[in-house]
């Protein structure tokens, strides 16, 4: 085996999303002499970024106060109109905003592509001297003899499916750092290992997730209202006692971003999140907006929904978790970019102070303390019971109780302590307790089949490489998941990666179409037996999201 080369840095950041980029910029703002690099598994910055997105500019204002006049694409469309609908199968009921706590307002926010915001932030980081390496996933955490993180190694390139080295084989590179920040997003593969290695979740609730599926549409200009923000709840998930909701944001250039989030704690294994999204688009009120338009992009990602009680210990010897690796999403507001960026900035400030004191590879407990004393904590504590209340009591009563809990916290009137979670995998129940759900066939105009949709994510993987979706026990899918739970992996994946073949012949096996994977991590989260381990594929593989 070839010996890996190494490169030294003061700071290595794993992930080129909002948190990682904000951290890099902040380090360079405070001390331009510190060397900083970002590893990004996507083919370019923004290629794997997917969000609604309606962005609270609070962190951007702190990081780059003049961003609105610096050519930032997020400045193009301020939110001008905010709607919330409760849907039944054929009707909508508008919910007024006056009963909601003031922080639920979208006034002063902006709607646009989070991927394009990250591309712009990468330009700002590069101008400050940050080195960015797209197409190089961090595949391994490096430790010293004392057990501290000293950097990461990128994955080997040119490895065949059988593990042999192809003609273009190149060993991974080791990047050594005084401090390493993990900004992998929700359910990051290295973050998962670090949580286990350092027992970072010992004093918090387990993280829970939603699956967000999104499309971009060019719509009839006569129907387009720049800055209009629409959220829905109720149908179709109300029919399966699941919960979540839809969104539709009018962005620049007669385009709307629309999508659907299904909370992954659903019990019925026949629930099919992709098909729930297709049903939602066929609601008369949603279809009326889309008719005459055309879809231009598709994608999916998991979203942290655990809230403040699921935030783990954030620092450990030699490194820290930032952004969605830690889980700072404000679920009722459906926002996490601003809190992710702020966490990156706080980590950067702790690193600069530590470097000035001559420290390295130690536990930056001051970063953890700074987050817990910041506006991130204040904001998330106000909403920490919203998700568990809706999860426990359903969309209607749960929403009412969540609103009451949030108001009690705003008014400081004896709020209930943070409620507990169970994992999304544990929530799945046996198939014999439910009836299969008959989903309508796609019409090819508003609703589409799953594999056609994947083609609109522009996903590509080198086919001759080891499968990055690793089964701990290859027999579990057919021995346990299929007979007891009706093979839910064939439904919860939004990209058609998992397929049971040979069922009718009596010789079932799970076929993994890894080349379709959009890196949403749902399989790693929702698999009942926790038998699927998502690891990074060869560099540059995965979706190539435009304008998402």
């Amino acid at each position: 085996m070839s010996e890996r080369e190494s490169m030294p840095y003061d700071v290595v950041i794993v992930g080129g999303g909002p948190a990682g980029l904000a951290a890099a910029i902040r380090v360079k703002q405070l001390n331009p002499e510190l060397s900083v690099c970002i590893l990004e598994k996507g083919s370019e910055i923004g290629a794997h970024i997917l969000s609604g997105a309606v962005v609270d500019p609070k962190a951007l204002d702190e990081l780059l106060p003049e961003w609105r006049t610096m050519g930032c694409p997020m400045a193009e469309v301020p939110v001008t109109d905010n709607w919330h609908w409760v849907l039944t199968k054929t009707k909508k009921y508008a919910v007024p905003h006056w009963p909601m706590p003031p922080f639920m307002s979208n006034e002063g926010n902006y709607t646009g592509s989070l991927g394009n915001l990250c591309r712009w932030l990468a330009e700002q980081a590069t101008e400050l001297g940050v080195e960015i390496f797209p197409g190089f996933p961090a595949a391994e955490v490096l430790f010293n003899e004392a057990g501290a993180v000293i950097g990461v190694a990128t994955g080997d390139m040119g490895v065949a499916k059988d593990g042999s080295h192809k003609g273009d084989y190149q060993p991974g590179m080791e990047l050594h750092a005084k401090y390493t920040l993990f900004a992998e997003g929700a359910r990051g593969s290295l973050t998962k290992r670090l949580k286990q290695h350092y027992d970072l979740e010992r004093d918090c609730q387990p993280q829970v997730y939603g699956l967000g599926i999104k499309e971009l549409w060019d719509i009839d200009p006569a129907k387009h209202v720049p800055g209009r923000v629409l959220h829905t709840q109720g149908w179709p998930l109300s029919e399966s006692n699941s919960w979540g909701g839809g969104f539709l944001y009018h962005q620049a250039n007669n385009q709307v971003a629309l999508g659907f989030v299904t909370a992954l704690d659903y019990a019925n294994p026949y629930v099919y999140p992709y098909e729930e999204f297709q049903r939602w688009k066929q609601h008369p009120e949603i279809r009326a907006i889309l008719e005459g338009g055309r879809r231009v992009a598709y994608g999916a990602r998991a979203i942290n929904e655990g809230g403040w009680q699921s935030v783990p210990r954030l620092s450990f010897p030699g490194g820290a978790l930032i952004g969605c690796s830690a889980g700072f999403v404000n679920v009722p507001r459906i926002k996490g970019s601003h809190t992710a960026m702020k966490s990156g900035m706080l980590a950067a400030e702790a690193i600069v102070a530590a470097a000035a004191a001559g420290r390295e590879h130690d536990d930056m407990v001051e970063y953890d303390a700074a987050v817990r004393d910041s506006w991130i904590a204040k904001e998330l504590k106000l909403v920490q019971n919203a998700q568990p209340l809706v999860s426990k009591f359903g969309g209607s009563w749960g929403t009412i109780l969540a609103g009451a809990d949030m108001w009690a916290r705003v008014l400081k009137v004896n709020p209930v302590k943070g409620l507990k979670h169970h994992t999304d995998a544990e929530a799945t129940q046996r198939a014999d307790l439910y009836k299969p759900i008959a989903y309508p066939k796609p019409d090819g105009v508003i609703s589409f089949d799953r594999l056609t949709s994947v083609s609109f994510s522009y996903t590509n993987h080198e086919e001759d490489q080891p499968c990055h979706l690793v089964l701990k026990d290859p027999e579990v899918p057919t021995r346990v998941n299929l007979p007891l739970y009706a093979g839910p992996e064939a439904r919860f994946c939004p990209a058609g990666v998992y397929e049971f073949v040979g069922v009718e012949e009596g010789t079932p096996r799970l076929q993994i179409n890894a080349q379709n994977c959009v890196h949403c991590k749902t399989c790693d989260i929702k698999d009942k037996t926790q038998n699927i381990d998502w690891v990074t594929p060869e560099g540059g593989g995965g979706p190539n999201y435009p304008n998402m």
Side-chain angles (χ1 to χ4, degrees), residues 9 25 66 77 87 105 173 250 281 290 411 455 463 508 534:
Y9 288 91
I25 290 170
E66 305 300 320
V77 185
L87 301 182
S105 170
M173 174 80 71
H250 292 248
K281 286 189 294 176
L290 300 179
L411 300 173
S455 71
E463 290 201 26
W534 193 102

Side-chain angles (χ1 to χ4, degrees), residues 33-372:
E33 300 305 313
L34 292 178
S35 58
V36 182
C37 87
I38 295 175
L39 292 175
E40 166 54 44
K41 66 182 175 69
S43 61
E44 64 169 359
I45 293 291
H48 290 179
I49 296 293
L50 180 146
S51 180
V54 173
V55 173
D56 183 332
K58 189 172 185 178
L60 259 178
D61 288 340
E62 293 182 12
L63 182 67
L64 296 164
E66 305 300 320
W67 67 274
R68 292 171 182 81
T69 59
M70 294 170 62
C72 178
M74 192 57 69
E76 291 182 31
V77 185
V79 174
T80 57
D81 197 7
N82 197 29
W83 293 2
H84 190 108
W85 295 345
V86 174
L87 301 182
T88 63
K89 190 170 184 177
T90 59
K91 296 181 179 179
K92 75 167 194 299
Y93 297 92
V95 177
H97 283 273
W98 62 263
M100 299 183 187
F103 60 76
M104 293 293 289
S105 170
N106 274 312
E107 184 177 352
N109 296 332
Y110 294 79
T111 182
S113 163
L114 192 64
N116 287 343
L117 173 61
C118 288
R119 293 179 177 98
W120 181 81
L121 286 171
E123 293 173 4
Q124 312 313 307
T126 301
E127 288 178 7
L128 292 171
V130 176
E131 296 181 37
I132 300 177
F133 301 115
F136 286 90
E140 178 186 347
V141 181
L142 304 176
F143 301 92
N144 64 14
E145 291 181 357
V149 173
I150 58 169
V152 293
T154 63
D156 295 346
M157 305 281 279
V159 179
K161 277 185 178 181
D162 62 5
S164 64
H165 293 175
K166 296 185 285 187
D168 60 350
Y169 170 77
Q170 290 184 327
M173 174 80 71
E174 291 190 0
L175 292 100
H176 297 169
K178 295 176 180 176
Y179 294 101
T180 307
L181 298 179
F182 294 84
E184 297 180 285
R187 196 71 167 200
S189 55
L190 298 187
T191 298
K192 188 169 75 167
R193 285 157 178 74
L194 286 165
K195 285 180 174 181
Q196 295 169 349
H197 183 82
Y198 290 113
D199 198 13
L200 300 179
E201 294 182 306
R202 181 180 61 237
D203 299 321
C204 70
Q205 290 296 305
Q207 186 60 260
V208 294
Y209 301 86
L211 170 59
I213 305 177
K214 177 183 174 181
E215 294 178 349
L216 288 179
W217 283 64
D218 292 331
I219 66 166
D220 181 347
K223 300 177 182 179
H224 190 257
V225 185
R228 174 167 290 173
V229 166
L230 166 65
H231 294 107
T232 77
Q233 66 182 89
W235 188 87
L237 291 176
S238 55
E239 294 186 356
S240 59
N241 286 325
S242 308
W243 69 279
F247 64 87
L248 194 151
Y249 305 150
H250 292 248
Q251 299 177 343
N253 304 315
N254 297 317
Q255 198 163 77
V256 294
L258 67 148
F260 199 79
V261 178
T262 302
L264 288 176
D265 63 352
Y266 58 83
N268 183 345
Y270 290 112
V271 168
Y272 196 155
Y274 175 85
E275 293 294 352
E276 297 291 348
F277 174 40
Q278 302 308 307
R279 291 177 74 196
W280 176 80
K281 286 189 294 176
Q282 293 286 7
H283 189 279
E285 297 289 344
I286 304 299
R287 184 182 178 101
I289 298 170
L290 300 179
E291 282 181 323
R294 69 183 184 94
R295 183 177 64 162
V296 296
Y298 169 85
R301 61 160 289 191
I303 304 165
N304 294 301
E305 292 191 338
W308 184 247
Q309 56 267 58
S310 294
V311 173
R313 182 157 57 92
L314 300 172
S315 65
F316 42 86
L321 306 181
I322 62 175
C324 283
S325 281
F328 297 120
V329 173
N330 184 320
V331 177
R333 294 188 72 202
I334 322 177
K335 291 175 180 58
S337 300
H338 64 306
T339 48
M341 291 179 66
K342 179 62 174 177
S343 70
M345 294 158 64
L346 291 172
E349 291 161 11
I351 286 174
V352 171
R359 295 161 49 193
E360 60 181 68
H361 301 149
D362 62 348
D363 191 340
M364 293 188 297
V365 293
E366 59 271 36
Y367 160 61
D368 189 285
V371 169
R372 296 178 195 280

Side-chain angles (χ1 to χ4, degrees), residues 437-515:
I437 301 172
Y439 289 100
K441 291 183 178 180
D443 62 13
V445 178
I446 301 297
S447 55
F448 308 93
D449 69 86
R450 191 166 48 172
L451 293 183
T452 298
S453 292
V454 172
S455 71
F456 281 80
S457 69
Y458 309 101
T459 293
N460 183 59
H461 292 88
E462 167 59 50
E463 290 201 26
D464 188 15
Q465 65 171 302
C467 183
H468 68 280
L469 302 159
V470 181
L471 299 181
K472 298 172 186 176
D473 181 345
E475 303 301 320
V476 162
T478 51
R479 191 179 72 240
V480 179
N481 291 4
L482 186 61
L484 293 183
Y485 304 102
E489 51 267 68
R491 288 179 292 279
F492 59 55
C493 174
V497 169
Y498 300 96
E499 181 182 3
F500 284 96
V501 297
V503 176
E504 293 182 1
E505 294 79 9
T507 55
R509 66 179 178 86
L510 181 65
Q511 178 172 298
I512 301 178
N513 306 307
Q515 67 273 17

